[in-house]
Amino acid sequence: MTCNVCSLGFGQALTRALLAKTKLHVVGTTSSGAENARNAILGSGSRQDGGAVNESSKGTKPVHEEGGYGGSTSGGYGGADEFGGDPQGNVHQQQPAQGDRGNSSTTNDQTAKLSEGTDNSDWSSRLTTLDMDVREEDAIAHAATTVKERFGSNEVRLVVNISGMLHAEKNLSAVSSDELLETFKINTFGHLLVYKHFSPLLPHKRQTFDDAEDPASGVLKPGLSGLVSLSARVGSIGDNERGGWYSYRSSKAALNQIIRTLSHELNRRSPQHPAFCIAYHPGTMRTGLSEPYTRGQTPENTKGLFEVDEAAEKLIKLMGGMTTEKSGGFWAYDGTRIPW
């Protein structure tokens, strides 16, 4: 199964891509409304409410494909992507606790395009959604327990954590202790706590599949598991040439350190259950949150600017080439490494 903790528009796009390309059972977590999110993923009901796929924690065990689950845990709060904007601009883009509803306007036409040529008749049975707020460890622990009870102790193949927020300070006078703490709760500590509770659900021994049998085929190499955090190029210390955005930059830099440290812990596990973890820069995604920084720009005339469906495809392509040797790296959407 795959777990995806994510921003609204990108989380929905990634969840649909995982359902389309694999036989995994996808689990999505959100704090912004379970049923609305599920409807948005499946293309039914209103698409204005955003969020990730969601289902009550109670109920029957979902149907799954033989050979394992693929879960996308789309987590909790906000959805700050890497922006192409000016860090010297003092813009407050924190999202409300229920999520940025303007961030998830994916149309039925986009859903149809993504699933074109794909048998998506089983998407509903392979999609589970759970309520979870990444600011609350009890909620994260409860979600992990629910996944374990429904799908088994060691069935998680992929966790994608895309939760984030942005409070963009242009100088020191705009720094607030409350905003700093909230930013780190969501951009940094939330990711770490998700891995604390979900990484024990990774397989404990090597799963022997050929590419055709592996339910994660199309996303992961046979038998490999993965942990992915959405970071941002502005979190690179070596690439910081302009300053600004104190809380966002530092929270992403700290997240990168967590990923690097976690990679060593994963490497100390037995080779019988290989797994990688990476920090990922997706480029600038056209969402409600990035709109102040991308006015007048289009993916056609701006390098590194993507619609959310294209951004999801680029992440899936990168994950498909991941190995344990590449674990602990800070990777960009084009497959290049970013300096720490």
Side-chain angles (χ1 to χ4, degrees):
M1 106 180 251
T2 304
C3 295
N4 170 29
V5 182
C6 62
S7 62
L8 304 182
F10 182 61
Q12 292 178 11
L14 180 59
T15 300
R16 285 191 294 273
L18 289 168
L19 288 168
K21 292 180 177 294
T22 74
K23 295 181 180 179
L24 292 167
H25 193 112
V26 180
V27 177
T29 68
T30 181
S31 65
S32 60
E35 195 58 36
N36 286 336
R38 179 179 175 84
N39 289 341
I41 295 297
L42 296 177
S44 59
S46 170
R47 289 186 147 299
Q48 299 304 313
D49 289 332
V53 284
N54 191 305
E55 176 185 280
S56 168
S57 307
K58 301 177 181 178
T60 59
K61 181 176 179 178
V63 177
H64 69 282
E65 294 290 327
E66 189 64 33
Y69 298 94
S72 166
T73 309
S74 145
Y77 183 84
D81 310 319
E82 161 63 349
F83 303 108
D86 183 357
Q88 298 303 317
N90 188 24
V91 180
H92 186 155
Q93 287 288 339
Q94 179 177 348
Q95 298 195 18
Q98 73 272 20
D100 179 3
R101 297 184 183 278
N103 215 19
S104 57
S105 55
T106 307
T107 67
N108 289 318
D109 288 343
Q110 288 174 306
T111 302
K113 181 178 180 181
L114 181 67
S115 59
E116 185 176 356
T118 302
D119 179 9
N120 61 358
S121 59
D122 68 338
W123 283 20
S124 180
S125 65
R126 290 194 292 119
L127 179 60
T128 298
T129 59
L130 302 172
D131 286 303
M132 189 183 84
D133 190 323
V134 296
R135 298 169 296 178
E136 300 174 5
E137 185 173 3
D138 287 348
I140 297 170
H142 179 70
T145 298
T146 300
V147 167
K148 179 179 179 179
E149 291 174 348
R150 291 189 182 189
F151 305 122
S153 299
N154 306 118
E155 297 293 338
V156 173
R157 291 289 300 281
L158 176 66
V159 178
V160 182
N161 194 329
I162 319 172
S163 59
M165 66 162 285
L166 168 66
H167 174 62
E169 314 95 344
K170 68 179 180 180
N171 53 44
L172 283 173
S173 66
V175 173
S176 156
S177 60
D178 289 341
E179 297 293 353
L180 281 169
L181 181 58
E182 189 75 351
T183 298
F184 271 80
K185 279 183 177 179
I186 296 165
N187 293 359
T188 311
F189 307 148
H191 288 241
L192 179 59
L193 292 172
V194 165
Y195 296 138
K196 171 186 174 181
H197 292 283
F198 277 88
S199 65
L201 303 183
L202 296 174
H204 282 188
K205 62 181 179 180
R206 183 182 294 273
Q207 298 175 311
T208 54
F209 301 109
D210 63 31
D211 197 47
E213 295 174 335
D214 191 343
S217 176
V219 176
L220 297 173
K221 292 184 180 298
L224 187 65
S225 300
L227 307 174
V228 179
S229 274
L230 202 70
S231 186
R233 187 180 294 275
V234 295
S236 167
I237 297 172
D239 195 50
N240 184 352
E241 301 292 341
R242 304 189 69 180
W245 293 16
Y246 285 95
S247 59
Y248 188 67
R249 284 187 186 275
S250 57
S251 67
K252 293 296 188 178
L255 172 60
N256 292 345
Q257 179 68 278
I258 286 170
I259 291 297
R260 185 66 173 175
T261 303
L262 177 59
S263 71
H264 294 301
E265 183 165 343
L266 291 178
N267 287 339
R268 287 193 292 268
R269 291 167 33 138
S270 166
Q272 293 302 310
H273 38 91
F276 69 86
C277 66
I278 60 170
Y280 179 68
H281 164 60
T284 301
M285 292 182 281
R286 283 169 58 89
T287 66
L289 195 60
S290 64
E291 194 271 337
Y293 309 97
T294 58
R295 289 192 183 101
Q297 301 177 26
T298 67
E300 291 74 25
N301 65 21
T302 306
K303 181 181 179 181
L305 177 63
F306 307 109
E307 302 291 352
V308 290
D309 290 335
E310 184 180 5
E313 293 287 339
K314 287 184 177 297
L315 173 55
I316 284 179
K317 180 179 179 180
L318 185 88
M319 290 191 297
M322 279 295 118
T323 63
T324 53
E325 290 74 23
K326 295 179 179 179
S327 184
F330 185 11
W331 296 88
Y333 60 86
D334 58 1
T336 60
R337 280 184 179 267
I338 299 174
W340 295 115

